[in-house]
Amino acid sequence: MTRAYSESYLNDAKDRLSQFFDYMVNDCSMKADWVSAIFVSSGYAEQFERGNPAVLAGMSGIELAKAVVRKSYKNKRLPEPRYSEGCSPEYWAGWALSEYQWYSGKRFKDIFERIKLSDIILMYSVYHEMDISKFTEAMDIICAKELPESRLKKLRESRGLSQSELARASGVSLRSIQMYEQRVNDIDKAQAQTVYKLSRVIGCSVEDLLENPME
């Protein structure tokens, strides 16, 4: 497999993502799965995937955190890093996940759709003293699994509606519905009016259609 970037950058990538997750979860008290969500939505996950040296080697994990937060919040202040010694589960998760993403070539978005960052962190107790190949094998098994049906598809079918019928009744295009159900497009990022139209026809709340409704 041709990697997206040279292995010479891999240690930098692992160091940056490790520090990023550790700082965001432990110093900033953000929930792990929210951190992974804004990492993806900010566009910086894609920069990692492409091997952008300005991101992989040009900024620290703390600087990455500040850049990601600026994309998600306008004026949120972040605390000073504690630089605690030792390898936290969050730090290990960033290290192992960087290795797996580089090795597999999978997008972070696709990985997180199959396993939450919080669950990867829980893998620390089992895998942190093993060779990284064991973690990679476990992740390959997890990522090979088919995704569960989207909420939109489940609710649509439970109401006995075809995609075409839902499209006609809601005014949302058939192609858009297909793309949301196949997770090609993220329904969580759809226009509020679009999700409202779908929920009105299906007879559910807007939140019922979202894959990751905000808490």
Side-chain angles (χ1 to χ4, degrees):
M1 175 188 292
T2 302
R3 312 296 183 197
Y5 58 91
S6 168
E7 189 173 2
S8 62
Y9 281 111
L10 182 57
N11 283 336
D12 286 327
K14 292 161 78 170
D15 179 69
R16 302 306 181 265
L17 201 60
S18 295
Q19 191 180 49
F20 170 70
F21 285 153
D22 183 53
Y23 171 70
M24 292 285 273
V25 175
N26 294 316
D27 289 3
C28 300
S29 300
M30 292 188 180
K31 293 185 177 180
D33 297 330
W34 176 244
V35 172
S36 62
I38 62 175
F39 177 54
V40 170
S41 65
S42 70
Y44 280 96
E46 185 178 358
Q47 296 299 313
F48 257 76
E49 294 158 7
R50 292 180 177 180
N52 183 346
V55 175
L56 296 186
M59 59 172 59
S60 69
I62 307 303
E63 290 169 335
L64 174 62
K66 292 177 179 178
V68 167
V69 168
R70 276 197 300 271
K71 288 279 190 175
S72 306
Y73 307 92
K74 287 189 176 179
N75 298 305
K76 185 176 178 65
R77 293 178 62 86
L78 297 179
E80 290 297 316
R82 292 196 298 264
Y83 293 112
S84 57
E85 295 183 3
C87 178
S88 71
E90 291 77 19
Y91 188 96
W92 172 85
W95 180 87
L97 186 57
S98 292
E99 173 93 20
Y100 180 70
Q101 190 282 319
W102 177 81
Y103 156 82
S104 68
K106 292 179 172 64
R107 298 185 305 167
F108 284 104
K109 179 180 184 294
D110 294 335
I111 294 170
F112 290 138
E113 283 180 346
R114 286 165 173 80
I115 180 169
K116 296 178 181 179
L117 177 58
S118 57
D119 290 330
I120 295 175
I121 291 169
L122 291 176
M123 295 170 74
Y124 169 83
S125 61
V126 175
Y127 291 99
H128 79 282
E129 292 185 346
M130 294 184 183
D131 186 87
I132 188 63
S133 63
K134 299 300 182 183
F135 173 77
T136 295
E137 291 169 4
M139 289 293 289
D140 274 340
I141 293 171
I142 291 168
C143 289
K145 294 179 180 177
E146 291 294 325
L147 286 172
E149 291 184 341
S150 67
R151 292 186 176 191
L152 173 58
K153 183 177 181 181
K154 286 181 181 178
L155 286 167
R156 173 181 62 77
E157 292 182 341
S158 73
R159 304 302 193 266
L161 293 167
S162 68
Q163 290 178 333
S164 298
E165 289 170 336
L166 178 57
R168 285 195 297 270
S170 66
V172 177
S173 72
L174 174 60
R175 182 58 177 160
S176 292
I177 291 171
Q178 291 171 336
M179 297 286 270
Y180 291 136
E181 291 195 358
Q182 294 167 11
R183 291 191 173 88
V184 175
N185 288 345
D186 187 351
I187 195 169
D188 292 10
K189 296 179 181 177
Q191 292 185 352
Q193 186 68 11
T194 297
V195 185
Y196 171 74
K197 287 178 180 179
L198 294 170
S199 67
R200 185 167 54 92
V201 174
I202 292 174
C204 65
S205 69
V206 167
E207 290 76 13
D208 287 338
L209 294 179
L210 301 181
E211 296 297 323
N212 296 289
M214 288 186 182
E215 296 181 2

